[in-house]
Amino acid sequence: MGNGRSSYPLIGVLLLAVVGYFNWSGGGVDPSRLRIPIPWLQPPMSFVGRNGTRFVLLRAEGGGSGGGGEAPSVYVNGWNSYWLMAAAASQGRRGRETVAEMLRRGRDMGMEVCRTWAFSDGGRGGGAALQISPGRFDEQVFQALDYVIYEARRNQVRLILCLVNNLEAFGGKAQYVRWAQEAGVNLTSSDDPFFSILRRNSYSGVLYSDEPAIFAWELMNEPRCSSNSSAPLLQAWIAEMAAHIKSIDQKHLVTVGLEGFYGSKRAERLGVNPGDWAGSLGSDFIQNSAVQNIDFASAHAYPDSWIPNAGLEEKVEYLASWVDYHVNDGERILKKPVLITEIGSYLKVNEQGLYERDVLLKTAYDKVYKSAEKGQAGAGALIWQLILEGIEEQYGDKFSLVAEKYPSTDKLIRQQSCRLRYLLRRNQTDDKPGWPC
């Protein structure tokens, strides 16, 4: 007992120092720069794992991609904000405040999962580079990612962290090719994009591999090949990278990042694709998602850009079928959860005065809800993408949404959060903070 008492004065001095910092250091202080990187001081949070075709909530002190027993199911209503790290890195205090506000608003709408980029390679077309050159990283940008994860946990939001881009924005796959060409050799396994998994967060002191605010690692955003002849290379890469992540991190889920297209050799599914072009990209939803170390399947949905000449009714019919096929394949073939990790739509108003985006979003939400209600593989959907006022020009695109400007869409998102919440076990939801229902 004596040893315990002797530590009290030291703790008291530290607490007084913290209080004094905020009370006497002036109005210009940036609270986001205050760091007490002690893991046990972070808000309690549970890992999410998988039990068959369901996501499940694991014990706060445990983790893993397996699950069992009576672990409560988790159904996801979430959103994309790809720009969080970029904003925190490039805009100083204002950027960090923007990140915190976005996470707070998402949580206020009942959403618990946000998908965002954990990459910026070579500094081309995406602001400050995280990975400057193979194996060399910018510590300030890394600390921006630290802050995103730290702030997500404070808001009880989990992140799907995407590790590399197929597209050229923020460097992407093309940057790795340039580096390889410049070196005159193929990049080695030490130059892969999975550097971040073993990092210790400078804000919280928690290893990324021990961080429950990370929902999952995503291998690549929308992996594609130039032709089907490269499909075996993509399949081998997925298997190798997923196994590599699992060898160093058994606590987190892993997904591919697929758009959900079916490959050319899957004749019975080609009619599900939005066009012949979708079957010629070297990816295959079933084969790629069936890899042993892939925990859940992902798909995207963009009826406006995939079938641009179709009317709203045809787009709704197509979207409903698209979700049905993927959820059924997850249930019957893959035996894994299916998450619609991007669903986007243009801002259009039809003859009845309804936003077409709301109609399409509700179609996907209803399909996910019906599947989740039956305890099947439809595990959730994430809208693409939410942003805040004042950053539309920098980070917005034709699918972006400031939810507060569109009350009908805001209401629809909140309603989906509420009804998915009610599918969770009652004793897991009664005291959830920040719920809109």
Side-chain angles (χ1 to χ4, degrees):
M1 294 294 290
N3 290 336
R5 289 194 186 97
S6 66
S7 66
Y8 293 163
L10 176 60
I11 294 173
V13 169
L14 291 173
L15 289 175
L16 285 173
V18 172
V19 172
Y21 177 89
F22 283 112
N23 280 278
W24 295 298
S25 57
V29 171
D30 178 3
S32 69
R33 288 194 175 275
L34 178 65
R35 308 184 194 193
I36 309 178
I38 303 174
W40 55 266
L41 288 179
Q42 308 313 309
M45 200 175 197
S46 298
F47 281 88
V48 173
R50 175 174 71 89
N51 183 11
T53 61
R54 297 180 298 117
F55 292 132
V56 293
L57 202 62
L58 304 175
R59 294 193 304 271
E61 68 273 17
S65 60
E70 296 301 319
S73 297
V74 174
Y75 303 108
V76 174
N77 191 33
W79 83 99
N80 286 268
S81 288
Y82 77 85
W83 45 267
L84 297 181
M85 182 182 72
S90 64
Q91 300 177 11
R93 176 176 180 175
R94 184 168 64 88
R96 290 188 293 274
E97 290 174 347
T98 298
V99 168
E101 178 64 13
M102 184 71 263
L103 292 166
R104 186 198 66 77
R105 290 196 194 182
R107 180 61 188 181
D108 183 62
M109 297 168 74
M111 295 187 286
E112 296 184 281
V113 175
C114 174
R115 178 171 171 265
T116 193
W117 295 171
F119 61 81
S120 182
D121 300 309
R124 290 177 180 245
L130 174 57
Q131 187 171 201
I132 304 167
S133 61
R136 290 184 59 239
F137 307 101
D138 187 314
E139 178 60 23
Q140 293 303 310
V141 180
F142 235 144
Q143 290 184 21
L145 181 58
D146 290 345
Y147 180 74
V148 171
I149 297 170
Y150 167 77
E151 194 64 34
R153 185 163 178 175
R154 289 183 62 197
N155 284 276
Q156 294 294 291
V157 171
R158 295 180 176 87
L159 301 171
I160 297 176
L161 293 179
C162 184
L163 296 171
V164 69
N165 203 0
N166 178 68
L167 308 173
E168 290 200 22
F170 294 87
K173 182 176 65 177
Q175 180 62 65
Y176 283 84
V177 173
R178 283 190 288 269
W179 282 333
Q181 291 172 339
E182 290 168 2
V185 295
N186 291 326
L187 294 178
T188 67
S189 59
S190 65
D191 296 323
D192 63 45
F194 305 124
F195 53 82
S196 57
I197 295 174
L198 297 177
R199 178 177 172 83
R200 187 176 297 277
N201 192 306
S202 61
Y203 281 84
S204 67
V206 178
L207 287 171
Y208 281 20
S209 57
D210 292 333
E211 178 54 76
I214 298 174
F215 182 94
W217 301 110
E218 182 179 277
L219 300 185
M220 180 182 285
N221 175 52
E222 299 186 345
R224 294 181 176 186
C225 301
S226 57
S227 69
N228 282 321
S229 63
S230 300
L233 296 176
L234 175 59
Q235 181 71 6
W237 182 85
I238 292 169
E240 181 183 358
M241 294 300 101
H244 175 57
I245 290 181
K246 288 295 187 179
S247 73
I248 56 178
D249 180 2
Q250 295 81 45
K251 293 183 178 181
H252 289 107
L253 301 167
V254 177
T255 193
V256 180
L258 297 168
E259 293 164 279
F261 302 136
Y262 294 93
S264 61
K265 294 182 179 179
R266 205 165 296 278
E268 75 282 5
R269 287 288 189 274
L270 288 179
V272 182
N273 286 340
D276 293 342
W277 56 270
S280 64
L281 303 173
S283 62
D284 180 78
F285 173 74
I286 294 176
Q287 183 182 32
N288 299 155
S289 302
V291 170
Q292 179 181 356
N293 289 303
I294 295 300
D295 294 295
F296 66 93
S298 65
H300 296 176
Y302 287 94
D304 285 339
S305 56
W306 288 354
I307 47 174
N309 297 322
L312 178 59
E313 185 176 346
E314 184 179 349
K315 290 176 182 177
V316 167
E317 183 178 347
Y318 175 79
L319 178 59
S321 175
W322 177 259
V323 175
D324 279 342
Y325 268 101
H326 287 80
V327 169
N328 288 337
D329 286 342
E331 182 71 24
R332 299 170 184 172
I333 299 176
L334 297 170
K335 313 293 185 186
K336 298 178 181 182
V338 176
L339 198 59
I340 309 299
T341 49
E342 292 185 23
I343 176 167
S345 178
Y346 303 148
L347 179 62
K348 297 180 181 178
V349 181
N350 65 12
E351 295 177 356
Q352 288 73 42
L354 297 174
Y355 288 115
E356 292 190 5
R357 176 172 53 205
D358 292 353
V359 177
L360 292 168
L361 187 60
K362 188 176 188 305
T363 299
Y365 279 172
D366 287 347
K367 288 294 182 180
V368 166
Y369 178 76
K370 288 177 182 177
S371 177
E373 194 174 30
K374 298 174 184 177
Q376 295 179 341
L382 288 75
I383 188 172
W384 181 280
Q385 67 150 342
L386 296 188
I387 56 175
L388 298 178
E389 305 90 339
I391 62 171
E392 295 99 324
E393 183 174 344
Q394 186 170 6
Y395 299 120
D397 58 26
K398 55 191 174 183
F399 301 105
S400 297
L401 170 69
V402 178
E404 291 76 9
K405 291 184 177 180
Y406 303 96
S408 61
T409 309
D410 183 280
K411 180 180 179 181
L412 184 62
I413 294 170
R414 291 171 183 268
Q415 287 175 337
Q416 180 74 351
S417 297
C418 290
R419 61 179 183 169
L420 288 178
R421 173 195 177 190
Y422 293 140
L423 292 179
L424 299 176
R425 290 173 57 165
R426 182 175 299 276
N427 63 358
Q428 294 292 326
T429 59
D430 285 346
D431 58 352
K432 290 244 182 194
W435 284 93
C437 50

